[in-house]
Coordinates of all heavy atoms in Angstrom, one line a residue:
M289 N -45.8 44.7 -74.6 CA -45.7 43.4 -74.0 C -46.7 42.5 -74.7 O -47.9 42.8 -74.8 CB -46.0 43.5 -72.5 CG -46.0 42.3 -71.7 SD -46.5 42.3 -70.0 CE -45.6 43.7 -69.4
P290 N -46.2 41.3 -75.0 CA -47.1 40.3 -75.7 C -48.3 39.9 -74.7 O -48.1 39.9 -73.5 CB -46.2 39.1 -76.0 CG -44.9 39.6 -76.0 CD -44.9 40.8 -75.0
K291 N -49.4 39.7 -75.3 CA -50.6 39.4 -74.5 C -50.5 38.2 -73.6 O -50.9 38.2 -72.5 CB -51.8 39.2 -75.5 CG -53.1 39.2 -74.7 CD -54.3 39.2 -75.7 CE -55.6 39.3 -74.9 NZ -56.7 39.4 -75.8
I292 N -49.8 37.1 -74.1 CA -49.6 35.9 -73.3 C -48.8 36.2 -72.1 O -49.1 35.7 -71.0 CB -49.0 34.8 -74.1 CG1 -49.0 33.5 -73.4 CG2 -47.6 35.1 -74.6 CD1 -50.4 32.9 -73.2
I293 N -47.8 37.0 -72.2 CA -47.0 37.4 -71.0 C -47.8 38.2 -70.0 O -47.7 37.9 -68.8 CB -45.7 38.1 -71.4 CG1 -44.8 37.2 -72.2 CG2 -45.0 38.7 -70.2 CD1 -43.6 37.8 -72.8
M294 N -48.6 39.1 -70.5 CA -49.5 39.9 -69.6 C -50.5 39.0 -68.9 O -50.7 39.1 -67.7 CB -50.2 40.9 -70.5 CG -50.8 42.0 -69.7 SD -51.3 43.4 -70.7 CE -52.8 42.8 -71.4
L295 N -51.1 38.0 -69.6 CA -52.0 37.1 -69.0 C -51.3 36.2 -67.9 O -51.9 36.0 -66.9 CB -52.7 36.2 -70.1 CG -53.7 36.9 -71.0 CD1 -54.1 36.0 -72.1 CD2 -54.9 37.4 -70.2
L296 N -50.1 35.8 -68.2 CA -49.4 34.9 -67.3 C -49.1 35.7 -66.0 O -49.2 35.2 -64.9 CB -48.1 34.4 -67.9 CG -48.3 33.3 -68.9 CD1 -47.0 33.0 -69.6 CD2 -48.9 32.0 -68.2
K297 N -48.7 37.0 -66.2 CA -48.4 37.8 -65.0 C -49.7 38.1 -64.2 O -49.6 38.0 -62.9 CB -47.8 39.2 -65.4 CG -46.4 39.1 -65.9 CD -45.8 40.4 -66.2 CE -44.3 40.3 -66.6 NZ -43.7 41.6 -66.7
M298 N -50.8 38.3 -64.8 CA -52.1 38.4 -64.1 C -52.4 37.2 -63.4 O -52.9 37.2 -62.2 CB -53.2 38.8 -65.1 CG -53.1 40.2 -65.6 SD -54.3 40.7 -66.9 CE -55.8 40.0 -66.3
F299 N -52.3 36.0 -64.0 CA -52.6 34.7 -63.4 C -51.7 34.5 -62.1 O -52.2 34.2 -61.1 CB -52.4 33.6 -64.4 CG -52.7 32.2 -63.8 CD1 -54.0 31.9 -63.5 CD2 -51.7 31.3 -63.6 CE1 -54.3 30.6 -63.0 CE2 -51.9 30.1 -63.1 CZ -53.3 29.7 -62.8
K300 N -50.4 34.8 -62.3 CA -49.5 34.7 -61.2 C -49.9 35.6 -60.0 O -49.8 35.2 -58.9 CB -48.0 34.9 -61.6 CG -47.0 34.8 -60.5 CD -45.6 35.1 -61.0 CE -44.7 35.1 -59.8 NZ -43.3 35.6 -60.2
S301 N -50.2 36.8 -60.4 CA -50.6 37.8 -59.4 C -51.8 37.3 -58.6 O -51.9 37.4 -57.4 CB -50.9 39.1 -60.0 OG -51.4 40.0 -59.1
K302 N -52.8 36.7 -59.3 CA -54.0 36.2 -58.6 C -53.7 35.0 -57.7 O -54.2 34.9 -56.6 CB -55.1 35.8 -59.6 CG -55.7 37.0 -60.3 CD -56.9 36.6 -61.1 CE -57.5 37.8 -61.9 NZ -58.2 38.7 -61.0
I303 N -52.8 34.2 -58.1 CA -52.4 33.0 -57.3 C -51.7 33.5 -56.0 O -52.0 33.1 -54.9 CB -51.5 32.1 -58.1 CG1 -52.3 31.3 -59.1 CG2 -50.8 31.0 -57.2 CD1 -51.5 30.5 -60.1
M304 N -50.8 34.5 -56.2 CA -50.0 35.0 -55.1 C -51.0 35.7 -54.1 O -50.8 35.6 -52.9 CB -49.0 36.0 -55.6 CG -47.8 35.3 -56.3 SD -46.9 34.1 -55.3 CE -46.1 35.2 -54.2
D305 N -51.9 36.5 -54.6 CA -52.9 37.2 -53.8 C -53.7 36.1 -52.9 O -53.9 36.3 -51.7 CB -53.9 38.0 -54.6 CG -53.2 39.3 -55.1 OD1 -52.1 39.6 -54.7 OD2 -53.9 39.9 -56.0
K306 N -54.1 35.1 -53.6 CA -54.9 34.1 -52.9 C -54.1 33.4 -51.8 O -54.5 33.2 -50.7 CB -55.4 33.0 -53.8 CG -56.3 32.0 -53.2 CD -57.0 31.1 -54.1 CE -57.9 30.2 -53.4 NZ -58.7 29.3 -54.2
E307 N -52.8 33.1 -52.1 CA -51.9 32.4 -51.1 C -51.6 33.4 -49.9 O -51.3 32.9 -48.8 CB -50.6 32.0 -51.8 CG -50.9 30.8 -52.7 CD -49.6 30.4 -53.5 OE1 -48.6 31.1 -53.4 OE2 -49.7 29.4 -54.2
M308 N -51.6 34.7 -50.2 CA -51.4 35.6 -49.1 C -52.6 35.8 -48.2 O -52.5 36.4 -47.1 CB -50.9 36.9 -49.7 CG -49.5 36.8 -50.4 SD -48.2 36.2 -49.3 CE -48.0 37.7 -48.3
V309 N -53.8 35.4 -48.7 CA -55.0 35.6 -47.9 C -55.5 34.3 -47.3 O -55.8 34.3 -46.1 CB -56.1 36.2 -48.8 CG1 -57.4 36.3 -48.1 CG2 -55.7 37.6 -49.3
N310 N -55.6 33.3 -48.1 CA -56.1 32.0 -47.7 C -55.0 31.1 -47.3 O -54.3 30.5 -48.1 CB -56.9 31.4 -48.8 CG -58.1 32.2 -49.1 OD1 -58.9 32.6 -48.3 ND2 -58.3 32.4 -50.4
H311 N -54.8 30.9 -46.0 CA -53.8 30.0 -45.4 C -52.4 30.2 -45.9 O -51.7 29.3 -46.4 CB -54.2 28.5 -45.8 CG -55.6 28.2 -45.5 ND1 -56.1 28.1 -44.2 CD2 -56.7 28.0 -46.3 CE1 -57.4 27.8 -44.3 NE2 -57.8 27.8 -45.5
P312 N -51.9 31.4 -45.7 CA -50.5 31.7 -46.1 C -49.5 30.9 -45.3 O -49.7 30.6 -44.2 CB -50.3 33.2 -45.9 CG -51.3 33.6 -44.9 CD -52.5 32.6 -45.1
S313 N -48.4 30.6 -46.0 CA -47.4 29.7 -45.3 C -46.8 30.3 -44.1 O -46.4 29.7 -43.2 CB -46.3 29.3 -46.3 OG -45.6 30.5 -46.8
H314 N -46.7 31.7 -44.1 CA -46.0 32.3 -42.9 C -46.9 32.2 -41.7 O -46.5 32.6 -40.6 CB -45.6 33.8 -43.2 CG -46.7 34.6 -43.7 ND1 -47.1 34.7 -45.0 CD2 -47.6 35.5 -43.0 CE1 -48.1 35.6 -45.1 NE2 -48.4 36.0 -43.9
Y315 N -48.2 31.8 -41.8 CA -49.0 31.5 -40.7 C -49.3 30.0 -40.5 O -50.1 29.6 -39.7 CB -50.4 32.2 -40.8 CG -50.3 33.7 -40.7 CD1 -50.9 34.5 -41.6 CD2 -49.7 34.3 -39.6 CE1 -50.8 35.9 -41.5 CE2 -49.6 35.7 -39.5 CZ -50.1 36.5 -40.4 OH -50.1 37.8 -40.3
G316 N -48.5 29.2 -41.1 CA -48.6 27.7 -40.9 C -49.2 27.0 -42.1 O -48.9 25.8 -42.3
G317 N -50.1 27.6 -42.9 CA -50.6 26.9 -44.0 C -51.8 26.0 -43.7 O -52.1 25.7 -42.5
K318 N -52.6 25.7 -44.7 CA -53.9 25.1 -44.5 C -53.9 23.7 -43.9 O -54.7 23.4 -43.0 CB -54.6 24.9 -45.9 CG -55.9 24.2 -45.9 CD -56.5 24.1 -47.3 CE -57.8 23.5 -47.3 NZ -58.4 23.3 -48.6
D319 N -52.9 22.9 -44.2 CA -52.8 21.6 -43.7 C -52.1 21.5 -42.3 O -52.1 20.4 -41.7 CB -52.1 20.7 -44.7 CG -52.8 20.6 -46.0 OD1 -54.1 20.6 -45.9 OD2 -52.2 20.5 -47.0
N320 N -51.6 22.6 -41.8 CA -51.0 22.6 -40.5 C -52.0 22.7 -39.4 O -52.8 23.6 -39.3 CB -50.0 23.8 -40.4 CG -49.2 23.8 -39.2 OD1 -49.5 23.3 -38.2 ND2 -48.0 24.4 -39.3
P321 N -52.1 21.7 -38.5 CA -53.1 21.8 -37.4 C -52.8 23.0 -36.4 O -53.7 23.4 -35.7 CB -52.9 20.5 -36.6 CG -51.5 20.0 -37.0 CD -51.2 20.5 -38.3
Y322 N -51.6 23.6 -36.5 CA -51.2 24.7 -35.7 C -51.2 26.0 -36.5 O -50.6 27.0 -36.1 CB -49.9 24.5 -35.0 CG -49.9 23.2 -34.2 CD1 -49.2 22.1 -34.6 CD2 -50.6 23.2 -33.0 CE1 -49.3 20.9 -33.8 CE2 -50.7 22.0 -32.3 CZ -50.0 20.9 -32.7 OH -50.1 19.7 -32.0
E323 N -51.9 26.0 -37.6 CA -52.1 27.3 -38.3 C -52.6 28.3 -37.4 O -53.5 28.1 -36.6 CB -53.0 27.1 -39.5 CG -53.2 28.3 -40.4 CD -54.2 28.2 -41.5 OE1 -55.0 27.2 -41.4 OE2 -54.2 29.0 -42.4
V324 N -52.0 29.5 -37.5 CA -52.3 30.6 -36.5 C -53.8 30.8 -36.2 O -54.2 30.9 -35.1 CB -51.6 31.9 -36.8 CG1 -51.9 33.0 -35.9 CG2 -50.1 31.6 -36.8
I325 N -54.5 30.9 -37.3 CA -56.0 31.2 -37.1 C -56.7 30.1 -36.4 O -57.6 30.4 -35.6 CB -56.6 31.6 -38.5 CG1 -58.0 32.2 -38.2 CG2 -56.8 30.4 -39.4 CD1 -58.6 32.9 -39.4
K326 N -56.3 28.9 -36.6 CA -56.9 27.7 -35.9 C -56.6 27.8 -34.4 O -57.5 27.5 -33.6 CB -56.4 26.4 -36.5 CG -56.8 26.2 -38.0 CD -56.1 25.0 -38.5 CE -56.3 24.9 -40.0 NZ -55.5 23.9 -40.7
V327 N -55.4 28.1 -34.1 CA -55.0 28.2 -32.7 C -55.7 29.3 -32.0 O -56.3 29.1 -30.9 CB -53.4 28.4 -32.6 CG1 -53.0 28.7 -31.1 CG2 -52.7 27.2 -33.1
I328 N -55.8 30.5 -32.6 CA -56.4 31.6 -32.1 C -57.9 31.3 -31.8 O -58.5 31.6 -30.7 CB -56.3 32.9 -32.9 CG1 -54.8 33.4 -32.9 CG2 -57.2 34.0 -32.5 CD1 -54.5 34.4 -34.0
E329 N -58.6 30.7 -32.8 CA -60.0 30.4 -32.6 C -60.2 29.3 -31.6 O -61.1 29.4 -30.8 CB -60.6 30.0 -34.0 CG -60.7 31.1 -35.0 CD -61.1 30.7 -36.4 OE1 -61.1 29.5 -36.7 OE2 -61.4 31.6 -37.1
N330 N -59.4 28.2 -31.6 CA -59.6 27.1 -30.7 C -59.3 27.5 -29.2 O -59.8 27.0 -28.3 CB -58.7 25.9 -31.1 CG -59.3 25.2 -32.2 OD1 -60.5 24.9 -32.2 ND2 -58.5 24.9 -33.2
W331 N -58.4 28.5 -29.1 CA -58.0 29.0 -27.7 C -58.9 30.1 -27.3 O -58.8 30.7 -26.2 CB -56.6 29.4 -27.6 CG -55.6 28.3 -27.7 CD1 -55.8 26.9 -27.8 CD2 -54.2 28.4 -27.7 NE1 -54.6 26.3 -27.9 CE2 -53.6 27.1 -27.8 CE3 -53.3 29.5 -27.7 CZ2 -52.2 26.9 -27.8 CZ3 -52.0 29.3 -27.7 CH2 -51.4 28.0 -27.8
N332 N -59.9 30.5 -28.2 CA -60.8 31.7 -27.9 C -60.0 32.9 -27.4 O -60.4 33.5 -26.5 CB -61.8 31.2 -26.8 CG -62.7 30.1 -27.3 OD1 -63.2 30.2 -28.4 ND2 -62.9 29.1 -26.5
L333 N -59.0 33.2 -28.2 CA -58.2 34.4 -27.8 C -58.9 35.7 -28.3 O -59.5 35.7 -29.3 CB -56.8 34.3 -28.4 CG -55.9 33.2 -27.9 CD1 -54.6 33.2 -28.6 CD2 -55.8 33.2 -26.4
D334 N -58.8 36.7 -27.4 CA -59.3 38.0 -27.8 C -58.4 38.7 -28.8 O -57.4 38.2 -29.3 CB -59.6 38.9 -26.6 CG -58.3 39.3 -25.9 OD1 -57.2 39.1 -26.4 OD2 -58.4 39.8 -24.7
F335 N -58.8 39.9 -29.2 CA -58.0 40.6 -30.3 C -56.5 40.8 -29.9 O -55.6 40.5 -30.7 CB -58.7 42.0 -30.5 CG -58.0 42.9 -31.5 CD1 -58.2 42.6 -32.8 CD2 -57.1 43.9 -31.1 CE1 -57.5 43.4 -33.8 CE2 -56.5 44.7 -32.0 CZ -56.7 44.5 -33.4
H336 N -56.3 41.3 -28.7 CA -54.9 41.5 -28.3 C -54.0 40.3 -28.2 O -52.9 40.2 -28.7 CB -54.9 42.3 -26.9 CG -55.5 43.6 -27.0 ND1 -56.8 43.8 -26.6 CD2 -55.1 44.8 -27.5 CE1 -57.1 45.1 -26.7 NE2 -56.1 45.7 -27.3
L337 N -54.6 39.2 -27.6 CA -53.8 38.0 -27.4 C -53.7 37.3 -28.8 O -52.6 36.7 -29.1 CB -54.4 37.1 -26.4 CG -54.3 37.6 -24.9 CD1 -55.0 36.7 -24.0 CD2 -52.9 37.9 -24.5
G338 N -54.7 37.4 -29.6 CA -54.7 36.8 -30.9 C -53.6 37.4 -31.8 O -52.8 36.7 -32.4
N339 N -53.5 38.7 -31.7 CA -52.4 39.4 -32.5 C -51.1 39.1 -31.9 O -50.1 39.0 -32.7 CB -52.7 40.9 -32.5 CG -53.6 41.3 -33.6 OD1 -53.5 40.8 -34.7 ND2 -54.5 42.2 -33.3
T340 N -51.0 39.0 -30.6 CA -49.7 38.6 -30.0 C -49.2 37.3 -30.6 O -48.0 37.1 -31.0 CB -49.8 38.5 -28.5 OG1 -50.2 39.8 -27.9 CG2 -48.5 38.1 -27.8
V341 N -50.1 36.3 -30.6 CA -49.7 34.9 -31.1 C -49.4 35.0 -32.6 O -48.4 34.4 -33.1 CB -50.9 33.9 -30.8 CG1 -50.7 32.7 -31.6 CG2 -51.0 33.7 -29.4
K342 N -50.2 35.8 -33.3 CA -50.0 36.0 -34.8 C -48.6 36.5 -35.1 O -47.9 35.9 -35.9 CB -51.1 36.9 -35.3 CG -50.9 37.2 -36.8 CD -51.9 38.1 -37.4 CE -51.6 39.6 -37.0 NZ -52.5 40.5 -37.7
Y343 N -48.2 37.6 -34.4 CA -46.9 38.2 -34.7 C -45.8 37.4 -34.2 O -44.7 37.3 -34.9 CB -46.9 39.6 -34.2 CG -47.7 40.6 -35.0 CD1 -48.8 41.2 -34.6 CD2 -47.3 40.8 -36.4 CE1 -49.6 42.0 -35.3 CE2 -48.1 41.7 -37.2 CZ -49.2 42.3 -36.6 OH -49.9 43.1 -37.5
I344 N -45.9 36.7 -33.1 CA -44.8 35.8 -32.7 C -44.7 34.6 -33.7 O -43.5 34.3 -34.1 CB -45.1 35.2 -31.3 CG1 -44.9 36.3 -30.2 CG2 -44.2 34.0 -30.9 CD1 -45.4 35.9 -28.8
S345 N -45.8 34.1 -34.1 CA -45.7 32.9 -35.0 C -45.1 33.2 -36.4 O -44.5 32.4 -37.0 CB -47.0 32.2 -35.1 OG -47.9 33.1 -35.9
R346 N -45.3 34.4 -36.8 CA -44.8 34.8 -38.2 C -43.5 35.5 -38.2 O -42.9 35.8 -39.2 CB -45.9 35.6 -38.9 CG -45.8 37.1 -38.7 CD -46.7 37.8 -39.6 NE -46.3 39.2 -39.7 CZ -47.0 40.1 -40.3 NH1 -48.2 39.8 -40.9 NH2 -46.6 41.4 -40.3
A347 N -43.0 35.8 -37.0 CA -41.7 36.6 -36.9 C -40.6 35.9 -37.7 O -40.2 34.8 -37.6 CB -41.3 36.7 -35.4
G348 N -40.2 36.7 -38.7 CA -39.1 36.3 -39.6 C -39.5 35.4 -40.7 O -38.7 35.0 -41.5
K349 N -40.8 35.0 -40.8 CA -41.2 34.1 -41.8 C -41.9 34.8 -43.0 O -41.7 34.4 -44.1 CB -42.2 33.1 -41.3 CG -41.6 32.1 -40.3 CD -42.6 31.2 -39.7 CE -42.0 30.3 -38.6 NZ -43.0 29.8 -37.7
K350 N -42.7 35.8 -42.7 CA -43.3 36.5 -43.8 C -42.2 37.4 -44.5 O -42.2 37.5 -45.7 CB -44.4 37.4 -43.3 CG -45.1 38.2 -44.4 CD -46.3 38.9 -43.8 CE -47.1 39.6 -45.0 NZ -48.2 40.3 -44.5
D351 N -41.4 38.0 -43.7 CA -40.3 38.8 -44.3 C -39.1 38.7 -43.3 O -39.2 39.3 -42.2 CB -40.7 40.3 -44.5 CG -39.7 41.1 -45.1 OD1 -38.5 40.8 -45.1 OD2 -40.1 42.2 -45.6
A352 N -38.1 38.0 -43.6 CA -36.9 37.8 -42.7 C -36.3 39.1 -42.2 O -35.8 39.2 -41.1 CB -35.9 37.0 -43.5
D353 N -36.4 40.2 -43.0 CA -35.9 41.5 -42.6 C -36.7 42.2 -41.6 O -36.3 43.2 -41.0 CB -35.7 42.4 -43.8 CG -34.6 41.8 -44.8 OD1 -33.7 41.1 -44.4 OD2 -34.8 42.2 -46.0
K354 N -37.9 41.6 -41.3 CA -38.8 42.3 -40.4 C -39.1 41.5 -39.2 O -40.1 41.7 -38.5 CB -40.2 42.7 -41.1 CG -39.9 43.7 -42.2 CD -41.2 44.2 -42.8 CE -41.0 45.3 -43.8 NZ -42.2 45.8 -44.4
E355 N -38.2 40.6 -38.8 CA -38.5 39.7 -37.6 C -38.6 40.6 -36.4 O -39.5 40.4 -35.6 CB -37.3 38.7 -37.5 CG -37.5 37.8 -36.3 CD -36.4 36.7 -36.2 OE1 -35.4 36.8 -37.0 OE2 -36.6 35.8 -35.4
L356 N -37.7 41.5 -36.2 CA -37.7 42.4 -35.0 C -39.0 43.2 -35.0 O -39.6 43.3 -33.9 CB -36.5 43.3 -35.0 CG -36.3 44.2 -33.8 CD1 -36.3 43.4 -32.5 CD2 -35.1 45.1 -33.9
Q357 N -39.4 43.7 -36.1 CA -40.6 44.5 -36.2 C -41.8 43.6 -35.8 O -42.7 44.1 -35.0 CB -40.9 45.0 -37.6 CG -42.1 45.9 -37.8 CD -42.3 46.3 -39.2 OE1 -41.9 45.7 -40.1 NE2 -42.9 47.5 -39.3
D358 N -41.9 42.4 -36.2 CA -43.0 41.5 -35.8 C -43.0 41.2 -34.3 O -44.0 41.2 -33.7 CB -42.9 40.1 -36.6 CG -43.3 40.2 -38.0 OD1 -44.1 41.2 -38.4 OD2 -43.0 39.4 -38.8
L359 N -41.8 41.1 -33.8 CA -41.7 40.8 -32.3 C -42.1 42.1 -31.5 O -42.7 42.0 -30.5 CB -40.3 40.4 -32.0 CG -39.9 39.0 -32.5 CD1 -38.5 38.7 -32.2 CD2 -40.8 37.9 -31.9
K360 N -41.8 43.2 -32.1 CA -42.2 44.5 -31.4 C -43.7 44.6 -31.5 O -44.3 45.1 -30.5 CB -41.5 45.7 -32.0 CG -40.0 45.8 -31.6 CD -39.4 47.0 -32.2 CE -37.9 47.1 -31.8 NZ -37.3 48.3 -32.3
K361 N -44.3 44.3 -32.6 CA -45.8 44.3 -32.7 C -46.4 43.4 -31.7 O -47.4 43.7 -31.0 CB -46.2 43.9 -34.1 CG -45.9 45.0 -35.1 CD -46.4 44.6 -36.5 CE -46.0 45.6 -37.6 NZ -46.5 45.1 -38.9
A362 N -45.8 42.2 -31.5 CA -46.4 41.2 -30.6 C -46.3 41.8 -29.2 O -47.2 41.7 -28.4 CB -45.6 39.9 -30.6
M363 N -45.2 42.4 -28.9 CA -45.0 43.1 -27.5 C -46.0 44.2 -27.3 O -46.5 44.3 -26.3 CB -43.6 43.6 -27.4 CG -43.3 44.2 -26.1 SD -43.3 43.0 -24.7 CE -41.7 42.3 -25.0
F364 N -46.2 45.0 -28.4 CA -47.2 46.0 -28.3 C -48.6 45.5 -27.9 O -49.2 46.0 -27.0 CB -47.3 46.8 -29.7 CG -48.5 47.7 -29.7 CD1 -48.4 49.0 -29.2 CD2 -49.7 47.3 -30.3 CE1 -49.5 49.8 -29.3 CE2 -50.8 48.1 -30.4 CZ -50.7 49.4 -29.9
Y365 N -49.0 44.5 -28.5 CA -50.4 43.9 -28.2 C -50.4 43.3 -26.8 O -51.4 43.4 -26.1 CB -50.8 42.9 -29.3 CG -51.3 43.6 -30.5 CD1 -50.5 43.6 -31.7 CD2 -52.5 44.3 -30.6 CE1 -50.9 44.3 -32.8 CE2 -52.9 45.0 -31.7 CZ -52.1 45.0 -32.8 OH -52.5 45.7 -34.0
L366 N -49.3 42.6 -26.5 CA -49.3 42.0 -25.1 C -49.3 43.1 -24.0 O -50.0 43.0 -23.1 CB -48.0 41.1 -25.0 CG -47.9 40.3 -23.7 CD1 -49.2 39.5 -23.4 CD2 -46.7 39.5 -23.7
E367 N -48.5 44.1 -24.2 CA -48.4 45.2 -23.3 C -49.8 45.9 -23.2 O -50.2 46.3 -22.1 CB -47.3 46.2 -23.6 CG -45.9 45.7 -23.3 CD -44.8 46.6 -23.8 OE1 -45.1 47.5 -24.6 OE2 -43.7 46.4 -23.3
R368 N -50.4 46.1 -24.3 CA -51.7 46.7 -24.3 C -52.8 45.9 -23.5 O -53.6 46.4 -22.7 CB -52.2 46.9 -25.7 CG -53.4 47.8 -25.8 CD -53.4 48.5 -27.1 NE -54.7 49.3 -27.3 CZ -54.8 50.6 -27.1 NH1 -53.7 51.3 -26.8 NH2 -55.9 51.2 -27.2
K369 N -52.7 44.6 -23.7 CA -53.6 43.6 -22.9 C -53.3 43.8 -21.4 O -54.2 43.9 -20.6 CB -53.4 42.2 -23.4 CG -54.2 41.2 -22.7 CD -55.7 41.3 -22.9 CE -56.4 40.1 -22.2 NZ -57.8 40.2 -22.5
I370 N -52.0 43.7 -21.1 CA -51.7 43.9 -19.7 C -52.1 45.2 -19.1 O -52.7 45.2 -18.0 CB -50.1 43.7 -19.5 CG1 -49.7 42.2 -19.8 CG2 -49.7 44.1 -18.1 CD1 -48.2 42.0 -19.9
N371 N -51.9 46.3 -19.8 CA -52.4 47.6 -19.3 C -53.9 47.7 -19.2 O -54.4 48.2 -18.2 CB -51.9 48.7 -20.3 CG -50.4 49.0 -20.2 OD1 -49.8 48.7 -19.2 ND2 -49.9 49.5 -21.3
N372 N -54.6 47.1 -20.1 CA -56.1 47.0 -20.0 C -56.5 46.3 -18.8 O -57.4 46.7 -18.0 CB -56.7 46.4 -21.2 CG -56.6 47.3 -22.4 OD1 -56.4 48.5 -22.3 ND2 -56.9 46.7 -23.6
L373 N -55.8 45.2 -18.5 CA -56.2 44.4 -17.3 C -55.8 45.2 -16.0 O -56.6 45.1 -15.0 CB -55.5 43.0 -17.3 CG -56.0 42.1 -18.4 CD1 -55.1 40.8 -18.4 CD2 -57.4 41.7 -18.1
E374 N -54.7 45.8 -16.0 CA -54.2 46.6 -14.8 C -55.1 47.8 -14.5 O -55.3 48.2 -13.4 CB -52.8 47.0 -15.0 CG -51.8 45.9 -14.9 CD -50.4 46.3 -15.1 OE1 -50.1 47.4 -15.7 OE2 -49.5 45.6 -14.7
N375 N -55.7 48.3 -15.5 CA -56.5 49.5 -15.4 C -58.0 49.3 -15.3 O -58.8 50.2 -15.5 CB -56.2 50.5 -16.5 CG -54.8 51.0 -16.5 OD1 -54.3 51.4 -15.4 ND2 -54.1 51.0 -17.6
K376 N -58.4 48.1 -15.1 CA -59.8 47.8 -14.9 C -60.4 48.3 -13.7 O -59.8 48.4 -12.7 CB -60.1 46.2 -14.9 CG -60.2 45.7 -16.3 CD -60.7 44.2 -16.2 CE -61.0 43.7 -17.6 NZ -61.5 42.4 -17.5

């Protein structure tokens, strides 16, 4: 493989990695006032409720084929929160 193509692939990979970590579009993106992390922090949500919001907000956006899986994950965290409250 020519060196320039290899360098371009590495550069693209680094850009994609950064976009998947810092303000990814499936969580709203940096300029969105309702970016998931901003909502979770501003609402002072705990781990379980934060994950519930996260998975609901990204359902079908990160991977359209995994919308149902994201919603099941949201339900898992919500049910766990409810069970923790009921068993106090």
Side-chain angles (χ1 to χ4, degrees):
M289 176 182 315
K291 190 170 184 176
I292 188 70
I293 293 174
M294 197 166 78
L295 289 172
L296 287 171
K297 285 185 177 186
M298 287 174 45
F299 181 70
K300 180 181 176 188
S301 175
K302 289 189 182 288
I303 290 172
M304 292 300 290
D305 286 347
K306 185 173 182 176
E307 289 174 357
M308 294 302 287
V309 173
N310 297 312
H311 312 289
S313 61
H314 57 273
Y315 289 130
K318 181 179 180 180
D319 297 326
N320 186 335
Y322 303 107
E323 182 183 18
V324 175
I325 195 165
K326 294 172 190 168
V327 171
I328 291 169
E329 290 173 347
N330 284 313
W331 290 358
N332 296 312
L333 298 180
D334 65 15
F335 180 78
H336 297 99
L337 293 179
N339 276 318
T340 301
V341 169
K342 175 180 80 170
Y343 284 113
I344 288 171
S345 68
R346 85 171 201 190
K349 293 177 185 160
K350 184 174 182 180
D351 184 341
D353 294 333
K354 294 187 178 182
E355 182 176 11
L356 182 59
Q357 181 182 31
D358 285 338
L359 294 173
K360 286 181 178 183
K361 288 179 183 179
M363 183 67 78
F364 168 82
Y365 285 106
L366 183 56
E367 287 175 342
R368 190 153 175 103
K369 176 68 175 186
I370 291 168
N371 288 336
N372 287 345
L373 291 171
E374 288 177 339
N375 294 316
K376 271 189 173 183

